[in-house]
Amino acid sequence: MMDLTYRPRRLRRTPALRSMVQENILGASDFIYPLFVHEGSEIEPIGAMPGSYRWHLDGLIKEVERAWDLGIRCVVIFPKVAESLKSEDGSECFNEDGLIPRAIRCLKKEVPDMTIMTDVALDPYSSDGHDGIVSSEGIVLNDETIDQLCRQAVVQAQSGADLIGPSDMMDGRVGAIREALDDQGYEHVGIISYTAKYASAYYGPFREALDSAPRLEGGKPIPTDKSTYQMDPGNAREAVTEAQLDEQEGADILMVKPGLAYLDIIYRLREETELPIAAYNVSGEYAMVKSAAEKGWIDEKAIVLETLLSFKRAGADLILTYHACDAAKWLKKG
Ligand code: PBG
């Protein structure tokens, strides 16, 4: 026999021992469930996101009730806005009778205990498909965009949102939104900031779901990607700077997006801040798992639970994931 003092396998010997020493555990209340909503009367499947739908309001309520019953405690809603309501300055984003304010009011009435998170950015409302206003020279304008975002955030808070999620990556937006919310008496409404949001190809299926990709039609030189405001995938230290700024400006929760290719960023921010951290397991990550699972090439349940656990291990407290309901179901059954 070998003369070994340490035999780490001793604690892996039985399921009971393994469960006693497991360092990170997944639970349904770790999940934030992203949902799409549209004006149509149909529940529309989304091509590259099997199992995700564009819901009408009734369908949305039922899906959120189902999520609640599975133990999920937060949803985030994204609108597919009618083409006729899109404009260069995205003003539909602060229409009190717009799709998102109506959806929030319905959800607050029907499923009052569920935490409602929103997305703040212009892209679903922009005829140019950008998160901010694009100037005639093709520049995404920072400060002018922030005025729109503050109005959007206030209308969302007024409709009953619990957590406001700026996903636009304009400089200074967290502080400006915090001030706008406080001025209007919404000091109790939190900000979950998309702090380190990278200019990523992993958002492709989401942009299909909302038809919100940058567009080239029209006379303006529209930038074809979002790299003048979203972060460069080559940068890690810059994420720490973004985190420090968001924290100083009053963010309550910091988010890293995408998640899987950026686990190192989650880990870095975990070392830098005491605030809760969220990871966004984005549409492209979801599509890859779903397509391989459909072909029978991977075990979907095992892959999803392992992936979600990796976000916790990296240091995330919360995970935005389209797998939320499936994962909650699997966790329940054991
Ligand atoms: C909009 C927004 C995007 C996502 C969330 N909010 C797309 C983008 O920035 O282009 C992506 C989410 C996903 O891919 O699941 N600002």
Side-chain angles (χ1 to χ4, degrees):
M1 202 192 312
M2 291 170 79
D3 179 21
L4 293 181
T5 307
Y6 295 107
R7 287 182 182 268
R9 289 185 55 190
R10 285 181 197 126
L11 298 183
R12 297 181 200 139
R13 195 169 49 84
T14 68
L17 278 166
R18 289 196 293 276
S19 71
M20 287 164 65
V21 298
Q22 181 167 14
E23 297 171 34
N24 294 285
I25 295 168
L26 273 179
S29 63
D30 299 331
F31 303 146
I32 297 177
Y33 183 28
L35 290 158
F36 301 101
V37 57
H38 73 154
E39 296 283 5
S41 53
E42 306 286 314
I43 297 174
E44 279 178 5
I46 298 166
M49 301 180 70
S52 269
Y53 300 88
R54 293 184 202 94
W55 300 95
H56 50 55
L57 287 184
D58 282 348
L60 180 74
I61 291 164
K62 291 204 179 70
E63 183 64 0
V64 172
E65 282 168 345
R66 181 173 84 96
W68 178 268
D69 291 340
L70 287 165
I72 292 163
R73 293 295 173 257
C74 185
V75 295
V76 52
I77 45 177
F78 296 99
K80 177 163 194 297
V81 176
E83 217 36 60
S84 59
L85 298 174
K86 296 189 182 186
S87 60
E88 285 185 272
D89 69 357
S91 306
E92 174 64 15
C93 75
F94 52 80
N95 175 2
E96 288 173 28
D97 292 316
L99 186 52
I100 287 293
R102 271 183 287 131
I104 299 170
R105 288 193 293 268
C106 273
L107 288 174
K108 274 291 152 192
K109 184 157 161 263
E110 304 295 333
V111 204
D113 295 328
M114 183 65 96
T115 308
I116 308 295
M117 171 183 164
T118 59
D119 192 82
V120 169
L122 299 188
D123 50 327
Y125 310 93
S126 156
S127 47
D128 298 330
H130 273 284
D131 292 27
I133 300 173
V134 185
S135 75
S136 51
E137 292 82 37
I139 309 288
V140 177
L141 300 171
N142 196 85
D143 302 16
E144 292 82 345
T145 296
I146 287 185
D147 292 338
Q148 301 288 86
L149 301 179
C150 287
R151 297 175 74 174
Q152 183 181 17
V154 166
V155 167
Q156 291 172 348
Q158 184 184 308
S159 310
D162 300 287
L163 289 173
I164 304 294
S167 73
D168 55 287
M169 290 301 278
M170 298 299 120
D171 293 332
R173 90 280 206 210
V174 170
I177 290 172
R178 184 68 273 158
E179 200 180 318
L181 292 172
D182 291 353
D183 279 353
Q184 299 295 317
Y186 300 110
E187 69 286 340
H188 54 283
V189 173
I191 297 180
I192 173 167
S193 175
Y194 290 65
T195 295
K197 177 172 177 181
Y198 286 85
S200 171
Y202 282 98
Y203 310 148
F206 176 98
R207 292 181 191 166
E208 179 210 314
L210 297 187
D211 189 18
S212 62
R215 295 153 178 219
L216 296 174
E217 64 244 37
K220 280 194 289 189
I222 308 287
T224 52
D225 63 31
K226 300 189 176 183
S227 52
T228 69
Y229 47 105
Q230 298 180 348
M231 284 177 56
D232 185 327
N235 292 358
R237 295 194 310 270
E238 191 186 352
V240 177
T241 305
E242 287 283 3
Q244 287 164 348
L245 288 170
D246 280 2
E247 194 161 347
Q248 284 160 19
E249 291 177 31
D252 299 284
I253 301 174
L254 306 181
M255 197 200 301
V256 175
K257 178 183 174 191
L260 204 44
Y262 297 84
L263 290 176
D264 59 317
I265 306 300
I266 298 172
Y267 184 74
R268 268 201 199 221
L269 294 200
R270 182 66 294 155
E271 303 278 287
E272 293 287 334
T273 178
E274 300 305 323
L275 291 178
I277 293 176
Y280 201 144
N281 177 215
V282 298
S283 57
E285 298 169 39
Y286 177 83
M288 291 193 301
V289 170
K290 283 291 189 182
S291 54
E294 269 177 11
K295 290 201 154 82
W297 290 349
I298 57 170
D299 175 344
E300 180 177 0
K301 172 180 166 183
I303 291 268
V304 167
L305 293 178
E306 181 180 333
T307 303
L308 297 177
L309 188 58
S310 78
F311 295 125
K312 298 274 312 257
R313 191 189 63 241
D317 305 281
L318 297 164
I319 307 160
L320 287 85
T321 179
Y322 304 95
H323 298 290
C325 282
D326 286 341
K329 225 183 301 169
W330 293 326
L331 291 170
K332 229 178 193 173
K333 284 196 199 129

